[in-house]
Amino acid sequence: MDQTALQDLVRRFFDAFVSGPDCDERLDALPELFIPQAVIVRTCGTEPLAYTVDEFIAPRRALLTGGALTDFREWALDGRIDVFGDVAHWYGAYAKEGRQDGVAFTGRGMKTIQFVRTAAGWRISAAAWDDERPGVVMS
């Protein structure tokens, strides 16, 4: 039961980042996956940048709905879920593709998503990611 609920949260998290129809609705639903105090951290070879849920969603909404980024999607490749009592963790690879200003691109990276069990069910308490780049390549 826990594995199914957690895998559904991972899927819903990645499904939110798809440009095109219904993008706003998916992004509007994204905060309900998180606890209010959740933190999301981008590394990607720079100084880590931590976001609140709203700070994380706002620039991605602008990118996904602004018209310069089209045909974008992001998805989990594989991952592992570990559960102990009321805490859980997903660590896995992901991929992305799209067109930025008409130029096609692809990318891959690793994400970590931590969960806590709440009265309303499992919610994301933290997430962090790093993307492939020169010197940091997934095997």
Side-chain angles (χ1 to χ4, degrees):
M1 174 89 165
D2 287 337
Q3 292 281 332
T4 301
L6 292 163
Q7 193 60 47
D8 183 57
L9 278 172
V10 171
R11 180 192 53 76
R12 290 172 59 201
F13 176 82
F14 280 102
D15 284 353
F17 305 105
V18 177
S19 62
D22 302 324
C23 181
D24 277 318
E25 289 81 6
R26 287 189 303 276
L27 291 172
D28 287 346
L30 197 56
E32 71 189 39
L33 304 182
F34 292 85
I35 63 170
Q37 308 84 353
V39 62
I40 301 109
V41 180
R42 176 190 55 84
T43 61
C44 302
T46 63
E47 187 66 24
L49 179 59
Y51 302 93
T52 65
V53 174
D54 290 338
E55 290 169 341
F56 174 72
I57 293 171
R60 281 147 190 87
R61 182 185 304 273
L63 278 171
L64 290 167
T65 62
L69 180 63
T70 58
D71 302 322
F72 183 82
R73 69 185 187 108
E74 189 175 281
W75 67 98
L77 293 171
D78 59 20
R80 173 183 165 165
I81 294 175
D82 295 307
V83 179
F84 180 82
D86 293 332
V87 297
H89 176 250
W90 181 86
Y91 184 68
Y94 76 98
K96 57 187 170 183
E97 66 182 9
R99 300 182 76 74
Q100 181 74 42
D101 297 320
V103 178
F105 69 90
T106 62
R108 298 185 313 168
M110 298 295 289
K111 283 197 192 226
T112 176
I113 305 172
Q114 291 78 49
F115 306 92
V116 293
R117 191 187 319 262
T118 71
W122 289 103
R123 296 293 184 265
I124 298 170
S125 59
W129 79 96
D130 197 356
D131 288 341
E132 284 186 316
R133 58 188 177 280
V136 180
V137 180
M138 296 167 39
S139 53

